[in-house]
Amino acid sequence: MKIGLVLDHFDPRRGGVEQWTARFAHWLVRAGHEVHVVASSFADDALATGITAHEVRGTRTRTGFAAAVEHRLRTLRLDVVHDTGCGWYCDVLQPHGGARRAAFEQNQLLLPRAWRPWKRALARWLPRYREFDRLVARQYADDGRTIIAISKMVARDLARYHGVRPERMRLVYNGVDLVQFTPQNRARYRTPLREKLGVGPDEVLLLIVAHNFALKGVPTLLRAVGRLAASGAPVRLAVAGGKRHAAAARLAARVGVGPRVTFLGSVDDAAPWYAAADVYVQPTFYDPCSLVVLEAFAAGLPVVTSRFNGAGELLTEGREGYLVDDPANVEELAERLRPLLDAGARERMGIAARQLAERHSWDRNCREMLDVYSEIAETRRLAA
């Protein structure tokens, strides 16, 4: 098949959607498909033989980019066009960022309560938000495209906020590389990295991988670590990602856990840090289907995340980890972490987490996407 993939930036170092799309493009090439990528920029080392790059530059707005992408795609004669959330000219729309309105509402929870009505009022008038509304209206117009929801949470939000009929949607969870992320990494990385951090053999190392600290719940996590430490729990925390650590470091010091927290900064490969950790924690305010949670499962770590993470709906509480109802509730998070201070519970849940990941492999994710393409092609054939 001749397949077109659309995203803002074809650079796996930028974030989850970029990483997913680059890996998927390479998988499609290895599977024998002709792949065209349309984006505003490309990382030199992200391209591979069999991927044709189409750079769309010089647009000033999101709707301008979407229109320019449509113009370029119309010249390519592709079998399937798969957009990751940028435009409207596509056969498959897979909004990796989830339902935009749902994300907006969850982001309001990061603001002081008194500010929220003002933010909602401004959103009706600010040009940036009005343009988002115009883009979304065209993306979810009922004109035949298939919508991929990457979790049941996203499917519910798309129906609620954007009026997408259930029969237009297909559920395809993200997948994880079971070779790159594996419990076997512990033999190589666990001891040297824990020694580097000064983590003792009886200490419990929590890990979070996050760029947007506020959205992913880092402040809640720091305060929960403070609660646990105050009760005598031997906890440590490693925070990977993010560029501005000063405010988080001040909060860690304020709650009395400054020496227990290490800010690792950006890491090229998170796999060694999963190997060093005992528990993965992400009390996120909104995550459509967190790739890092799937990576933690694959690495054999129990996970504590929130009900606003689509990946969290895959776990069974008490088997692979726990969920928090309120990402801002420090006491609730601390109580979900307490059972995981027990080494036996961590070992049992870690084994179950790996088994869960094996049911959501990267290859399965890609095959399910290809099944959607085949469904579209068959529908076209029958209509011809």
Side-chain angles (χ1 to χ4, degrees):
M1 299 177 74
K2 291 179 64 176
I3 298 166
L5 301 175
V6 181
L7 74 164
D8 279 324
H9 304 282
F10 195 70
D11 181 354
R13 290 181 292 269
R14 279 180 169 262
V17 61
E18 293 86 0
Q19 182 185 51
W20 186 93
T21 308
R23 295 192 64 216
F24 184 50
H26 296 162
W27 186 92
L28 289 171
V29 168
R30 291 193 299 271
H33 300 280
E34 180 181 328
V35 178
H36 296 256
V37 177
V38 182
S40 63
S41 67
F42 291 80
D44 292 337
D45 57 356
L47 293 172
T49 302
I51 297 177
T52 302
H54 303 271
E55 192 170 41
V56 174
R57 301 183 67 182
T59 60
R60 294 173 178 267
T61 64
R62 289 186 175 273
T63 52
F65 178 67
V69 166
E70 177 181 2
H71 178 75
R72 181 66 60 87
L73 288 168
R74 286 185 180 277
T75 69
L76 299 182
R77 297 182 179 276
L78 301 171
D79 296 314
V80 175
V81 175
H82 177 166
D83 191 298
T84 60
C86 305
W88 52 65
Y89 184 78
C90 57
D91 304 290
V92 176
L93 178 67
Q94 184 184 22
H96 276 260
R100 190 172 298 280
R101 187 69 192 183
F104 175 84
E105 291 298 327
Q106 286 303 114
N107 270 282
Q108 301 314 294
L109 301 179
L110 301 174
L111 299 174
R113 189 179 298 274
W115 294 11
R116 296 172 194 172
W118 295 98
K119 179 72 172 182
R120 291 189 176 93
L122 282 172
R124 299 191 191 102
W125 300 104
L126 289 175
R128 176 172 178 266
Y129 290 101
R130 295 178 72 178
E131 187 186 22
F132 273 133
D133 289 342
R134 290 193 295 272
L135 175 64
V136 166
R138 294 195 64 174
Q139 286 179 328
Y140 297 116
D142 198 347
D143 56 4
R145 70 176 58 90
T146 298
I147 311 297
I148 301 293
I150 60 177
S151 65
K152 293 177 182 177
M153 179 188 77
V154 169
R156 290 192 300 269
D157 289 342
L158 290 174
R160 176 184 178 186
Y161 291 107
H162 302 300
V164 181
R165 292 182 292 110
E167 55 268 29
R168 295 182 60 203
M169 290 188 275
R170 302 293 181 273
L171 176 64
V172 180
Y173 287 106
N174 286 331
V176 62
D177 187 330
L178 297 173
V179 176
Q180 180 182 2
F181 302 100
T182 172
Q184 277 64 51
N185 286 335
R186 293 173 188 164
R188 177 179 179 184
Y189 297 114
R190 184 173 176 83
T191 298
L193 285 181
R194 288 173 74 94
E195 288 178 350
K196 179 179 178 179
L197 296 177
V199 176
D202 296 325
E203 290 184 299
V204 179
L205 179 61
L206 313 178
L207 173 69
I208 183 171
V209 180
H211 294 293
N212 186 332
F213 283 2
L215 183 65
K216 305 300 182 178
V218 170
T220 307
L221 177 54
L222 290 171
R223 292 185 173 96
V225 170
R227 292 278 183 96
L228 293 170
S231 69
V235 290
R236 299 284 297 273
L237 172 64
V239 182
K243 295 180 179 179
R244 299 179 180 87
H245 305 146
R250 287 195 297 271
L251 175 58
R254 197 158 62 245
V255 299
V257 294
R260 293 174 180 255
V261 180
T262 303
F263 294 94
L264 302 173
S266 179
V267 296
D268 292 330
D269 181 8
W273 295 104
Y274 296 126
D278 298 298
V279 180
Y280 186 79
V281 193
Q282 187 165 306
T284 180
F285 283 79
Y286 190 73
D287 248 309
C289 184
S290 174
L291 289 169
V292 290
V293 163
L294 294 176
E295 292 168 0
F297 285 145
L301 289 180
V303 168
V304 178
T305 189
S306 82
R307 296 189 186 278
F308 299 101
N309 185 347
E313 67 196 38
L314 298 175
L315 69 78
T316 299
E317 291 204 78
R319 187 163 69 193
E320 298 94 2
Y322 296 98
L323 298 174
V324 294
D325 295 317
D326 180 0
N329 190 321
V330 174
E331 186 58 37
E332 183 188 14
L333 179 58
E335 289 308 307
R336 292 295 185 273
L337 288 168
R338 285 187 194 279
L340 295 171
L341 298 175
D342 177 73
R346 293 197 304 273
E347 181 178 7
R348 182 177 66 255
M349 292 189 195
I351 292 171
R354 174 65 187 190
Q355 293 170 345
L356 173 60
E358 288 171 354
R359 300 195 293 274
H360 294 277
S361 70
W362 172 248
D363 280 343
R364 177 177 176 175
N365 184 194
C366 294
R367 289 195 303 271
E368 289 180 355
M369 288 304 314
L370 207 56
D371 287 344
V372 175
Y373 294 175
S374 298
E375 178 185 336
I376 291 169
E378 179 65 11
T379 300
R380 283 183 179 161
R381 186 188 68 80
L382 293 174

